[in-house]
Structures are given as C-alpha cells and as structure tokens.
C-alpha cells in the first residue's frame, strides 16, 4: 500500500511529462525533420537526470538517431543489475483526416490520452521514469537504461549490443515496448514471432498485347502470379508451405469476438485458418501479400499483362531460424511452374524471433509484481510483431532473463489512427516495475551458486 500510494502521488507529474513528450513529433523516418527527434532525446535526458540517474551518455552510431544510455550502480556488489529498454521515436501519423484530434496534440479520452506514440512507446519510457522517481533515484538494484530513437524505422543499433557486451551486461532486462492482452489483464509476453520478406515476379511478354487477339494463348503474367500465390495456403487458409514450424499454443489468447473487433473484420466474414487463435497468430506461420504490382482497375487496358510482382511477408515460429524459414518459402515458390512459366524469387530482409526463458528469479519477481499491481494473476502471451533489438541484447547478455511487459494494451491503436494510452495501465505498470525491482533484489541469489558473477544466474 505504501508503494502504491507513492506511485499515485507521482501520477500527476508523470502525466504532465508524458504530454510534453507526446507533443514532440519524433518521427525518425527518412524525409522527416531530425530536430524533433533531437528534442525528444534532450527532454528525456533532462528527465532522467532529474530522476537521479548519475551517468548518462549519448551514443551516436552511424545511420541512426542518438541512443540514450544511463546507469545507476548497484547499491551493493551482491545486488543484481536490471536493464530497462524503451524508444522515444514514433510512427508517422499517417492520414491525419482519420484522427479525431491532431496526432501531436495530446488529447484527453475516457481514462487516458490520445496522441501518436503515446502508447508506443512513450508511455513505457515514462513508466521507467516513474519507477526511478518512486525510489528517488536509488532503487534496490543496479540500473542500465537504453532508450533508442529509431526503433520504428529500423536501426543499425539492433546489431550493436553484441559488439559491446560489457556495456549491456545485466542479470535481467525489462523490454517495455508492448503491454497487456487487454486492459486490466497483466500480461507477460514470452515469445516474438520472426519475420522475413520475399519478392516474387513474373515476366512473360515484351509488352502488353491486345487481349482479343492474343488472350487465350499468350501467357498472362498476372494470372501466373495469382496461380503461384494461391498455393501458399490450403482450403482452410492455413499456410501450406512445408517446413514452417507450427505448434499448439498453451498460453492465454483472444476470444474470437475480441479478435474480430480488434482486426475490424466485417460482419459475416469468416476468420482465416484453423486451430486456436494463439496458434494462428503466435506459434504458427502466417504469409501475407503486402504489395502487388499490376495494372490498376481504373487504368486497365484490354491487354494481356506482361509483368506482375508481389511482395510477401512471412511471420514464423519464435524458435525457427530466420534464414531457414525464408528458404522454405523461397524454395516453395521456385519449385512452381504455373502454366509452365518460371518465377523469379528474391529473398529480402529477415528478422529472428525470440522465446524467453521462464522460471528464474526475475520471472518469479515479475509474476509477483504484476499480480500486486493489477490484483490478478499474470497471463502469458506471444506476439506476431517483432522487436529486433531483443535478440541483440540477449546475445550481449546471454545469461540475463528477458521480461517483456509494459503500459500498452492490444486495444490502444498503436501504429493506427487515434492511438491512446490508459492512465490505469500506466499507473499499474509503474507499480509493477517498482514491485519487480523490490522483489527481484530480495529474491536474487536463490538460484545462484556462491560467487557467481552478474549475468550467470541459474535461471
């Protein structure tokens, strides 16, 4: 109760700082000004310094926005060190006509605030700040703070941590770039599905030819491509590419009604695939056509199409190797000869998945902390999204437990118009982070042998 009262006393200030941060259009995509990104960086440095972080560095790496690195030494040599991660950049606002209020003017909504990036990920950065304030800059664990500024677009920083493992050495890390399955349901994310892209294209004619004179014998590139794409799924809509890992999901999941509402599925339209939703969304593969080059309907001519191209996005099981998963899709497509026509298949980017180890002292502490904050047992979920830096941090600190929780929720409209965060989720996340470091400091050492250095717990 004392901890909760302390956090409640901080909420007005945290809300004010969140509004200041969310008002900055810190979009780190090409073509956007860099000044707001720098402004958000500088604001956070000042807030962290005021919260008692004695050492703050600016990491300037080629090709990316500045990374904030802060450090609070452990209160004693036997105490564990916890790394806190978040990012201060945001997605572009998109079509502002779809917003109910200007995207960079934080606006009250029922129980919270609306603005671009206010959930993803500025609320989580403020939650870290709240924990530091609650302990007046002297938490019972050592702290390392990593807040990057180009997560949404993609950054070379993803590959940096393994090159400087001493900087990122820790016993546990809290990756606060996600949140709860639904508001009021404390949630630990234990898996991140991997992702890769593949481009498939077809060239059949030198140029378009009259469909009346040549159609029926001249090979239509678009029909060839559609024939190839139709082989990627079976009659139920399940992925039909062999070798892509799929397993039953045993954690918590959405109800079908929740998912239909979140996805905006129209009435009367069935969901795709078979099996539990968790299996379709998190522990099995998904292939989506995310782009198609073909003549538009508005400008269509009566001609056989000579060229067509599609870009595919594959999401795969958290533990499947990224290159292997991509190769399975590439091999499947290259083996096809729709109507006897070969396909040109080009592999694109890949990003590995991640599955966290559970059962160690940090996870025990997190379960206790989440229950204390929300008043109910935590649920386990995975996510189909990806956080590429997680793998880099895990490689830099291979003995550290990785915890993924935060102030977002699945209904917050991240990356969409009218993104919002709820004050209840922010407040409870701050309580949970405070309770986590308290419990972890008390429990640390239970699974460690005598004299084991930091980062080598038996978790």
């Amino acid at each position: 109760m004392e901890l909760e009262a302390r956090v409640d006393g901080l909420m007005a200030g945290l809300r004010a700082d969140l509004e200041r941060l969310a008002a900055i259009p810190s979009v780190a995509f090409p073509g956007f000004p860099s000044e707001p990104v720098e402004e958000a960086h500088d604001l956070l440095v000042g807030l962290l310094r005021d919260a008692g972080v004695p050492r703050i560095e600016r990491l300037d790496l080629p090709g990316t926005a500045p990374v904030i690195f802060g450090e609070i030494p452990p209160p004693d040599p036997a105490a564990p060190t916890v790394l806190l991660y978040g990012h201060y950049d945001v997605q572009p606002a998109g079509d502002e006509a779809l917003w109910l209020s200007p995207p960079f003017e934080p606006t009250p909504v029922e129980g919270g605030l609306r603005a671009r990036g206010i959930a993803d990920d500025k609320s989580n950065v403020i939650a870290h700040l709240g924990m530091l304030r609650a302990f007046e800059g002297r938490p019972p664990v050592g702290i390392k703070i990593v807040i990057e500024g180009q997560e949404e677009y993609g950054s070379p920083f993803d590959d940096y941590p393994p090159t400087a493992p001493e900087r990122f050495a820790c016993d546990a890390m809290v990756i606060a770039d996600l949140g709860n399955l639904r508001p009021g349901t404390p949630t630990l994310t234990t898996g991140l599905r991997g992702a890769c892209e593949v481009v498939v294209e077809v060239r059949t004619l030198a140029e378009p030819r009259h469909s009346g004179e040549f159609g029926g014998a001249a090979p239509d590139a678009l029909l060839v491509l559609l024939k190839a794409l139709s082989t990627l799924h079976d009659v139920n809509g399940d992925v039909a590419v062999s070798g892509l890992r799929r397993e039953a999901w045993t954690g918590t999941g959405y109800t079908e009604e929740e998912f239909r509402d979140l996805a905006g599925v129209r009435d009367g339209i069935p969901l795709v695939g078979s099996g539990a939703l968790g299996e379709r969304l998190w522990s099995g593969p998904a292939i989506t056509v995310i782009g198609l080059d073909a003549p538009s309907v508005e400008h269509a001519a009566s001609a056989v199409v000579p060229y067509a191209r599609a870009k595919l996005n594959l999401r795969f099981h958290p533990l499947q190797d990224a290159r292997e998963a991509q190769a399975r899709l590439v091999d499947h497509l290259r083996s096809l000869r729709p109507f006897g026509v070969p396909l040109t298949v080009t592999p694109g980017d890949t990003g590995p998945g991640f599955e966290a180890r559970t059962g160690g002292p940090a996870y025990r502490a997190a379960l206790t902390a989440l229950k204390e904050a929300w008043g109910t047992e935590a649920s386990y979920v995975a996510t189909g999204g990806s956080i590429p830096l997680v793998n880099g941090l895990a490689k830099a600190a291979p003995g550290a437990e990785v915890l993924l929780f935060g102030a977002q929720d699945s209904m917050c409209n991240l990356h969409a118009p009218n993104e919002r965060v709820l004050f209840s989720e922010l407040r409870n996340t701050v309580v949970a982070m405070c309770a986590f470091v308290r419990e972890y400091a008390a429990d640390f050492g239970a699974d460690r042998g005598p004299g084991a250095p930091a980062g080598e717990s038996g978790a």
Side-chain angles (χ1 to χ4, degrees), residues 45-427:
V45 167
L47 292 174
L48 290 169
R49 186 173 288 118
D50 291 344
V53 181
R55 179 187 168 210
I56 301 175
E57 288 184 63
R58 172 183 169 128
L59 301 182
D60 283 303
L61 303 175
T64 191
V67 178
I68 300 170
F69 180 83
E71 193 166 11
I72 301 175
D76 66 74
T81 294
V82 175
L83 185 149
L84 307 176
Y85 169 80
H87 63 88
Y88 63 86
D89 65 305
V90 301
Q91 281 281 325
D95 184 357
E96 295 193 20
L98 299 177
W99 285 76
L100 299 176
S101 55
F104 293 104
E105 291 182 15
T107 302
V109 297
E110 184 177 358
L113 288 169
R114 177 174 58 235
R116 166 56 84 228
I118 203 160
D120 180 20
D121 189 43
K122 291 178 177 178
S123 61
N124 284 323
V125 172
I126 293 297
H128 289 323
L129 185 71
M131 184 274 288
L132 297 175
R133 287 180 180 172
F135 286 102
E136 298 181 337
R138 297 185 299 275
V141 299
I143 292 291
K144 293 185 177 182
I145 299 164
V146 178
I147 306 176
E148 67 170 314
Q150 197 174 298
E151 189 273 346
E152 297 290 7
Y153 178 70
S155 167
F157 182 60
D158 294 345
D159 301 318
Y160 175 73
T163 70
E166 67 291 338
R167 181 186 291 278
F168 301 96
C170 60
D171 299 287
M173 54 185 80
V174 177
I175 308 297
D177 192 13
L178 27 66
N180 290 338
L181 181 69
R182 59 183 69 89
T185 301
T187 304
L188 277 171
T189 298
T190 58
L192 304 171
R193 206 157 50 168
C196 68
E197 293 182 345
V198 172
V199 172
V200 55
E201 57 187 317
V202 182
R203 294 182 184 274
T204 55
L205 306 174
E207 57 187 8
R209 284 290 185 264
H210 192 291
S211 58
E213 294 186 31
F214 297 94
D220 183 318
L222 184 53
L223 284 178
V224 171
L225 180 61
L226 294 176
K227 183 76 170 177
L229 297 180
S230 71
T231 69
L232 299 177
H233 298 83
D234 64 17
V235 294
N236 297 315
D238 294 315
V239 171
V241 176
S242 65
L244 294 176
R245 186 169 174 175
R246 176 168 174 165
E247 297 174 356
W249 174 251
T250 57
T252 307
Y254 297 114
T255 65
E256 181 169 332
E257 292 72 23
E258 283 178 323
F259 182 78
R260 293 180 68 88
D261 184 58
L262 286 170
V265 180
R266 292 181 178 274
D267 291 343
I269 302 297
L271 300 186
V272 174
S274 62
L277 276 173
E279 189 174 329
R280 283 180 269 174
L281 298 172
W282 302 326
S283 59
I287 299 175
T288 306
V289 181
I290 60 172
L292 187 68
D293 290 338
S296 69
V297 171
E298 282 192 9
H299 300 97
S302 296
V304 180
V305 175
Y307 172 76
R309 179 174 66 159
K311 189 171 189 178
L312 309 180
N313 178 267
L314 166 64
R315 302 286 170 150
F316 48 88
H317 188 284
L319 291 181
Q320 184 158 24
D321 179 79
R323 295 293 179 187
E324 177 198 13
Q326 185 181 58
R328 294 288 188 172
L329 177 55
V330 169
D331 290 347
H332 175 94
L333 291 166
R334 286 178 176 167
S335 71
L336 302 176
R337 293 290 187 275
F339 309 120
V341 177
L343 309 174
T344 299
V345 184
T346 305
D349 294 336
T350 63
F354 178 80
E355 187 166 276
R357 291 175 291 122
T358 60
Y363 258 87
R364 290 196 299 268
L367 290 173
T368 299
L370 291 169
K371 183 177 181 180
E372 179 173 333
W374 273 274
T376 187
E377 299 288 347
S379 298
Y380 287 94
V381 302
T383 178
S386 59
I387 309 175
L389 184 66
V390 170
N391 285 279
L393 290 171
K395 289 177 183 176
E401 293 180 75
V402 180
L403 307 169
L404 298 105
F405 66 92
Q408 301 170 22
D409 65 81
S410 62
M411 302 172 187
C412 70
N413 283 347
L414 75 165
H415 294 208
N418 303 306
E419 181 178 351
R420 65 100 179 102
V421 71
L422 298 177
F423 295 133
S424 59
E425 298 300 289
L426 175 59
R427 179 260 189 198

